[in-house]
Structure formats: C-alpha cells, structure tokens
Amino acid sequence: MLLQAKNVTKNYAAHRALDDVSIDVREGSVFGLLGPNGAGKTTLIRIINQITGPDTGTVLFNGEPLQQKHIYRIGYLPEERGLYKKMKVGEQSIYLARLKGLSKNDAEKRLKEWFYKFDIMPWWNKKVEELSKGMQQKVQFIITVLHEPQLLIFDEPFSGFDPINTQLLKDEILSLKEKGSTVIFSTHNMSSVEEICDDIALINKSKKVLCGSFEEIRRSFSAHLYEATLQSDSNPLQHVEKYVQVLENEMLERKNTYRFRLQSEHLDTNALLQNLMQHGQIVEFREMLPSMNDIFIKTVKEGEK
Amino acid sequence: MKNNTLVVLQREYFTRVKKKSFVIMTLLMPILMVGLMFAPALLMDIGKEHKTFAVIDETAYYAGVLENSAKSTFVFMSDTASARDSVVKGSYVAMLVIEKRNDTSNVQNMKLFYSESEPSLETVGEITDAIKTQLQSLLMHKIEGVDKQVFDKINKASVEVTSQDLVTGMQSYVEVKTIFGYVCGILIYFFIFIFGSQIMSGVLEEKTSRIVEVIVSSVKPMQLMLGKVLGLAFVGFTQLVIWVVFGFLLVTITSFIAGTAAAPDVSAMAGSMQMGGQNIDMSAMTEMAGKVGEMIASINLPYLILMFFFYFLGGYFLYASLFAAIGAAVETQEETSQFMLPITIPLLLALIISTNIIMEPNGQIAFWFSMIPFTSPIAMMVRLPFGVPMWEVGISLALLVAGFIFTTWLASRIYRVGILMYGKKVNYKELWKWIKY
C-alpha cells in the first residue's frame, strides 16, 4: 500500500467532517475518491497533504506515518485553484516547483519539456491574467506533476476543461499511471471514474459507505440483469420465457432480430445459452452491470433514508 | 523545510523590488519628505504680499522708527487729505496716523484707516512693537534723562542658557533631539503602515486567486507567513540602505565641492559674491557648518541609529504578522477596514502622545508608552535622544521581542484557518474561535 488512512476523524467546531474513515491506496493504482458535495472529500485530501491534521487516526505513506518530507513526494491539484495573476507564467511555475523541492535549473529544464509537449511555450513570458482559463489549467496540471511525485492527487481535475483538453488530461493521467505513479482522483464525473479508476471509496456525510475495487463493487451492485439478442425467423419469446423471466422484449430494425431483457438471480448462463441456441442465432449476450452513476445515486439516497 | 521559507522570501523580495512602483517610490520618497518639510515655509512666503502704508506722524518723533521690510513699506507724509485719497485710490493699503501726545504721557494713540482689507494682526503687531520701543526710549529720556544708546543696551539685555552633559562635556541642543526623535517616530509609523498593508494585500491576493491551497500543500502556513514578513522587511531594508547611501553620497559630494571651491580662493569668491550684490559672509557660513556639526555630535548618533534599527524592526515584526492575519481573515479589500482599528489606534496614539513625551521625556506617560510593545517603537525613539537609562531600554526591547513573538503566534493561528476559509462573514468572535482551534 502506498497510502493508508486508518480511522481518521476530524472535527471543525460543531461539525464532524470525517468520521472514522479508512482508505487503502494500492501502489500504481488510480483511486477514485467519490462523494456528494460537503461529504468530507476535500478534508481527507487536505489531511493527506498535511495542510491540516486529523483529530484521531493515522495516515501512513509507504508504511511510515506522514511527515514533512512526504510533501515532496505528493503532487496536489486542488479543486479551488489559481495562480498569481500578475506574475509571469514561467517565473511562477519555477517558484511553485521550487517549493516542491526542485532546484531552479531542474525546474526550468523540466518545465520547458512540458511546455513544448503541451505546445504552450509562447506563454512562458506572459502574465497569467493574459491566459484563458483552459491555458491556466494546463499550467496548473504541469506544476502538479513536474516533480514526478509518487502520489498524485487530483481534486475535480476536469472542471473548466473543454472535451478536447479533458481527453488530453485523461490520457496524461493514465500515462502517469503506466509510468508507476499512484493517483487519487476525486470527482463528480462518474463516467470518467469508470474509465480510469481501479479502486474507489465513496464518502457520504463524513462516513465511508463504500470501498473496494471498482469491478467488484459493480458486481456486488448487480441486479442480475442480462441482455440477449437472437436472430430467428419468428419471435422466440414464448420459448425464452420457458427458461427465464423476461422483463422486456423488442424487435430490432435489423430483420428477424429480437432483443430480450432477462432477470434471474441464480442464472446458469451456459445452460441458458445452450437452450437459446435451439431457437435462433445468438448475436449478443451480456450481463447488464449498473453504471457508477447508478451506484453513486443509489448509495447516497439510501444514506438519506 | 526551512529552505521553503527562503524560497517564499525570495519571491516576495524580488517581485517587489523589480516592480516599477518600488523604483519610483524609492526615488520619490526623499523628494516628498524634503518637500513636506519646506512646503509650509514656501507657502507662507507665497501667501505674503507686499503692503505699503501711508504714515502721518503728528508728533515727529517716530521718523525712521518704522523700518521698511520685505512685506511692508512705510511712506511718511504730511498731508492727511492726499494720504487719504491715495488709500482710497488703492496706492496704499492703509493710513497710519500717529496722534499728538503729551510729552509725559505713557500712552501713544494711533489710528489705522484702511479701505479694502484690514492689515493682518501680525503687521499691526510689528508696528505697535516698534512704536512702543521708541515710546519707552522717549519717556526714559524725558523723565530720567537716559540716553538712547543706554536705553537700547538695557532694552536688548538677554539671558542665554546652554546645557551641557556633565561627563562628556558636550553641549546639548534640545531642538536637534526633538527633531531626530520625532522624525524616527514618524518613519517607523509610516514604514509599518506602508509595508504592513503590502503584506495584507499580498495575503489577500493569494487567498482570492485561490493559489494558496497549492502553496500550503508544500509550505506550512507559518513558513509562508514568515517568508512574506521577512521578504517585505528586506524590501524596506533595501529602501533604507539606498536612502542612506544616497544621502551619504550627497553630503560627501556637496562638502567636497564646497571644500575645493572654498580652499584656493576664498577672498576672490567672497569678492565676486559681493559684486553680485549678495552679502554672503564666508566665515559665517563655515561657522554655521561647524555649528551643525557640533549639533549632530551632541547626540550619540551611532547609538541612536542602532536603536532605531532595533525599534524599527521590532515594531515592524510586531505589526506585520497582524496585517497578514487580517488579509487572511477577509475576502475583499473593503472588509479589511473593520479589523484595522486595533492596529491603527495604538500606533496613532503613540504618535499623538509624542508631543507630550518631548515635553517630559522621563515622565510617567513617556515611561509607560515606551514600555508597552504596541507603542514603544515610536514612543521610545522619541525619548531616546534625551537619554534613557539602560535598564529601561533593556526591558522595553525585551518586551518588544516578547510582544512580536506573541503577535506572530496569535496571527499565525488566525492565518492558517483564514487562508482556506471562504464564504464566511468573519467577526471578532469568529477570529477568537480560530485562535482556540
């Protein structure tokens, strides 16, 4: 485990921001930290960044309790982010990189590589206030990853990005993962969670309500729904109903093609397929797993009851 | 991690020193200061206009008594009617009639007729003084037979006091001490406000631009605050050093030029000056220069400058972190004013009370104000030229150090919460909660 939070509790005056929250972030994984607004995600992220400390509980980085030196091994892109408006982009980037422990020369060399890569070298000597919001976001992203940290924390990284830049960013995050970085990723954008997260934790009302590998969680939320598409001369509905409960059926535009939505809790899929084969050509058969969006809404709504 | 305070400090220093406004301020401040010092005198001269009076002396005793000066001319006339006409026409401002008087009477009646505007109290005062002196002289002669020369001698009798330090034998010049102390006090006052508000708006900028969360993920809030406070201190220090070096160069160059010019041909220069119609006495000038040197030597300059740096820095550190805390607590520049009062009041009070301190540099007020850390940087600087016992200076400095450690601690508690707090209306009660967190 690269990062472990154990039974972390944090109070702000009368408000409990985190209540006995534990998470495990595997080395080399992308970890999705999910939850509605005000659930306590940012507080947990701030604790990991040592901006604030937990009231009780511990956080381990590489098995060691969090210390000042770990700051240099973490890169953090906060949700509320900005830059000095009057300062030049290059100068400012070097400053922020130096705060993360890079030497001036190192920072400049690496920054120029990234600036060429993102094709924003002409902005080096411009003031930040002259840049568009998207440009500023790119600069912030570069600053976050520049010191090649072991752990990257992105809080709502895609907010304010257009689809093209969002894709660019996703690709960068995945390539960082391939190079061995571990990523903690906090977002409301559930489709991006499905695309890039290995593990997730869902925090609601200061408590962790869900955690584990994304695939396992998805499987555990399975409603045992299946979808079968068959090609047949006549509608095979009455035959199919003999083996399994059919929720819906429709005829597709393609000639002699029928689709069935099936539900069964203890389904032997091989046996079912063998039976179905006798009534037509199987075009497609799949289990319909819930989307992350469904899981999120279901879990949060249950918490409200 | 110590290193990060240094990185912050460097940024604060270089972004400010490289700004045009810094260069302009550094060049303009001395000009402004000198301008402010001479402006009242200049304005007074401009405000004065030349006035011509018509004088009808019915007694014939006062001819030559009223001397023409830069602002007033007296024209003695005998014809009252024509004098009156001239006043009405505007050739003269007013007509002064010195009335007949019994030789033994000690009252001299005069009448001042004016047409458009009444002569100022100051002018009337000068006229009456001159007439009164002449009247006294006349009476002395008439009644006691005292000669005018004898009377003048007695009339101009005066007492001169010089105070001297018993140990060093140095002569004391109270005026120099007053000016030195006051100038130091004012400098400290302005420095704290100018650089304090720069810190405040710097903190506010980081908060409103939302860059602060990125920064505090690599720098502890306390380090960030200290980096800022120290960075600005160096900016101020740079400015002071530039002023001192320039001042020193200016003095050396002028004295060098004056020296080389004066040495080879003093008499020729003196001659040419007289030919130019200006009566400048070279020996009087050198005497004056010597006097100024003596005046400056009368105060212990190295000691006072050392103390100035201590109180200057101490006072700055005491208030600077408080300015940072205010910047962190609010979200807009307008909101800062509600928290400025606790900073403004002690500083302003110290400046106002300075006049009392100068009058009584070792009194109760002076003592207590120079002990309390919030007022001591100004109050003690005003007192110091007059001589303060070492133990008092020691306690005052110790309290100042304790004071700024306390305010820095207090401010950092507010600062670390404030910089990440958005959308909350902050009042003193809220700040107290943050301190207790």
Side-chain angles (χ1 to χ4, degrees), chain B residues 174-191:
Chain B
V174 178
E175 306 84 358
V176 179
K177 293 179 174 179
T178 307
I179 291 170
F180 186 88
Y182 214 62
V183 166
C184 287
I186 289 174
L187 268 180
I188 290 175
Y189 178 86
F190 278 112
F191 185 83

Side-chain angles (χ1 to χ4, degrees), chain B residues 5-19:
Chain B
T5 311
L6 203 68
V7 178
V8 175
L9 191 157
Q10 283 174 357
R11 192 198 86 89
E12 295 293 332
Y13 181 81
F14 286 111
T15 49
R16 289 208 157 74
V17 172
K18 275 193 264 173
K19 264 189 197 161

Side-chain angles (χ1 to χ4, degrees), chain A residues 72 93-111 146-147, chain B residues 3-4 7 10:
Chain A
Y72 294 144
S93 307
I94 290 174
Y95 169 64
L96 292 168
R98 286 181 72 199
L99 289 181
K100 280 290 184 190
L102 288 182
S103 74
K104 202 171 180 174
N105 289 336
D106 245 6
E108 192 168 342
K109 212 182 99 210
R110 290 192 198 182
L111 275 167
L146 192 74
H147 59 294
Chain B
N3 193 20
N4 270 351
V7 178
Q10 283 174 357

Side-chain angles (χ1 to χ4, degrees), chain A residues 118-305:
Chain A
F118 277 17
D119 206 18
I120 54 173
M121 204 53 215
W123 298 95
W124 185 270
N125 269 324
K126 295 239 160 135
K127 282 186 184 168
V128 168
E129 58 189 354
E130 298 171 58
L131 266 62
S132 74
K133 188 135 191 244
M135 284 291 187
Q136 291 186 30
Q137 302 258 34
K138 277 189 189 170
V139 175
Q140 285 159 342
F141 176 81
I142 293 171
I143 291 165
T144 311
V145 301
L146 192 74
H147 59 294
E148 291 169 6
Q150 267 181 293
L151 178 63
L152 281 159
I153 302 174
F154 297 108
D155 197 350
E156 288 296 345
F158 305 128
S159 66
F161 270 89
D162 61 44
I164 293 170
N165 282 327
T166 304
Q167 195 52 49
L168 181 77
L169 208 63
K170 270 184 203 164
D171 294 344
E172 279 306 325
I173 291 174
L174 288 173
S175 90
L176 284 166
K177 179 195 160 187
E178 257 157 48
K179 283 179 199 151
S181 296
T182 309
V183 180
I184 294 179
F185 181 61
S186 169
T187 185
H188 292 126
N189 184 339
M190 293 304 144
S191 68
S192 62
V193 172
E194 287 176 19
E195 271 176 73
I196 60 180
C197 287
D198 303 309
D199 298 334
I200 60 155
L202 182 62
I203 295 177
N204 189 28
K205 293 184 178 168
S206 321
K207 288 193 171 113
K208 187 180 74 176
V209 287
L210 201 64
C211 90
S213 120
F214 171 60
E215 277 311 316
E216 277 169 31
I217 286 174
R218 208 173 177 192
R219 206 150 287 284
S220 74
F221 272 79
S222 158
H224 311 286
L225 289 172
Y226 301 86
E227 196 179 76
T229 312
L230 284 169
Q231 229 173 6
S232 170
D233 292 337
S234 62
N235 193 340
L237 177 63
Q238 46 180 313
H239 303 292
V240 178
E241 271 178 330
K242 276 190 269 176
Y243 312 112
V244 64
Q245 188 193 352
V246 176
L247 295 179
E248 265 174 62
N249 75 90
E250 58 184 327
M251 200 174 104
L252 297 186
E253 278 177 29
R254 222 166 97 201
K255 213 183 166 194
N256 298 336
T257 307
Y258 304 88
R259 177 185 287 163
F260 303 93
R261 293 241 160 87
L262 317 168
Q263 188 174 35
S264 170
E265 219 166 300
H266 308 287
L267 187 70
D268 183 346
T269 46
N270 276 2
L272 178 68
L273 281 173
Q274 269 174 3
N275 287 324
L276 290 181
M277 267 178 220
Q278 300 163 19
H279 308 286
Q281 182 79 29
I282 295 172
V283 179
E284 198 186 353
F285 183 83
R286 64 186 181 103
E287 183 176 3
M288 290 169 67
L289 285 172
S291 70
M292 196 56 231
N293 207 39
D294 299 334
I295 297 171
F296 184 95
I297 291 168
K298 193 171 177 230
T299 315
V300 170
K301 282 215 168 137
E302 259 167 30
E304 274 164 17
K305 278 175 195 162

